[in-house]
């Protein structure tokens, strides 16, 4: 039935952080749409929605410095997450003059041919040749850091691995990675496309580590439901795109004024939500009741959670039953044994209780 209500536990995916059709986002879209839509491509006109959003993004990073004690103060807007990854790879190669890039096993960074090359074999196999020069490290395995060398342009890492099934990067490992990148003058790139914009309970997941990467990536929840992404870096790094060739990276629609206006409203809403609603408490409201012989663990931070069931066939039945019972959930690209729990950050306590009741009763009803 079309009018059946659903509770959304995935936010399509990690996009609707401020809820669906958030009134402030809708208003910002309407206001900007009434003023102007697309203008020019190469920055001929300074567009205030872009400038305001870039300023607000940079302000969210106040107090965090890169390994070279620089501040992230420039933003390049894209249309999507994968494009932010592509831009960052080009920037790292151009800045360092090095050919190799490292990513983590089981990481998902996007589906275009560069970003896909950073991902896992089963997604790449039928699309070769992809971008060469990629190698892998295992998250939280200190001995793998030796693979980072003076040939490595950049290491791409998600502070919390999303599609690997919500796997946290331990503080000790992140510190050692930071030091290794400093030693080898390799750029450290944080992909916060999924973990950013309040998803883990702080504006960025990087806040837990206390430092900034050399390049930070955002998308998904950034647009409040509109398409937009970004890669951000200190001017000292981003500046290399200005010459040889001039216009080192180009996009026609990246930073569309309507998307930027929506994104600024979403950013301000996320800041309000973090201030006024206890995301960690909401996380616990999921973690505490979800105790069941079939649930091996509920892991994650804030509202970026995974309920591990250990088996895809069983999990698929539970997910199908949840959807029948009005609860939208799914699994992860590289972890098909865990249920994704990533609702809009504005989810109410009563909705969390109801969601847990549905999951538990579905677990009981399936053999
Ligand atoms: N990086 C991460 C961590 C992601 O989760 C995703 C999308 N799942 C992407 C990049 C790609 O983003 P998009 O789908 O907007 O290209």
């Amino acid at each position: 039935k079309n009018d059946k209500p659903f509770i959304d536990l995935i936010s399509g995916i990690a996009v609707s952080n401020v809820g669906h059709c958030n009134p402030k986002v809708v208003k910002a879209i309407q206001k900007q749409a009434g003023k102007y839509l697309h203008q020019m491509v190469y920055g001929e006109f300074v567009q205030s929605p872009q400038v305001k959003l870039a300023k607000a993004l940079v302000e969210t990073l106040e107090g965090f410095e890169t390994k070279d004690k620089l501040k992230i103060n420039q933003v390049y807007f894209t249309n999507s997450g994968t494009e932010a990854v592509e831009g960052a790879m080009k920037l790292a190669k151009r800045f360092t003059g090095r050919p190799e890039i490292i990513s983590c096993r089981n990481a998902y960074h996007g589906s275009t041919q560069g970003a896909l090359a950073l991902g896992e074999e089963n997604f790449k196999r039928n699309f070769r040749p992809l971008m060469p020069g990629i190698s892998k490290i295992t998250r939280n395995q200190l001995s793998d850091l030796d693979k980072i060398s003076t040939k490595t342009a950049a290491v791409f890492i998600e502070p919390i691995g999303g599609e690997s099934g919500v796997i946290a990067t331990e503080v000790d490992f992140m510190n050692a990675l930071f030091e290794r990148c400093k030693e080898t003058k390799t750029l450290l790139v944080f992909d916060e496309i999924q973990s950013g914009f309040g998803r883990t309970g702080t504006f960025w997941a990087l806040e837990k580590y206390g430092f900034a990467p050399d390049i930070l990536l955002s998308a998904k929840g950034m647009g409040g439901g509109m398409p937009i992404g970004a890669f951000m870096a200190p001017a000292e790094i981003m500046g290399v795109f200005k010459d040889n060739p001039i216009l080192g990276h180009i996009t026609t629609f990246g930073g569309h004024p309507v998307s930027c206006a929506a994104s600024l409203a979403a950013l301000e809403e996320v800041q309000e939500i973090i201030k006024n609603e206890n995301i960690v408490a909401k996380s616990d409201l999921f973690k505490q009741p979800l105790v069941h012989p079939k649930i091996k663990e509920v892991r994650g931070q804030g509202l970026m959670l995974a309920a591990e069931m250990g088996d895809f066939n069983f999990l698929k039945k539970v997910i199908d039953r949840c959807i029948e019972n009005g609860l939208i959930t799914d699994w992860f690209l590289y972890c098909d044994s865990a249920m994704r729990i990533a609702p809009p950050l504005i989810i109410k306590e009563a909705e969390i209780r109801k969601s847990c009741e549905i999951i538990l009763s579905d677990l009981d009803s399936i053999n």
Side-chain angles (χ1 to χ4, degrees), residues 90 94 238-250:
K90 275 179 68 182
R94 174 74 179 82
M238 197 75 94
V240 296
F241 271 160
K242 283 195 208 148
D243 59 40
N244 194 21
I246 57 161
L247 304 175
H249 194 66
I250 305 171

Side-chain angles (χ1 to χ4, degrees), residues 80-83 85 108-111 158 163 191 193-194 219-220:
S80 65
T82 200
E83 265 183 84
V85 173
Y108 179 77
H109 293 287
S111 273
E158 299 160 84
E163 295 312 309
D191 180 341
I193 288 169
Q194 193 162 150
K220 284 190 179 276

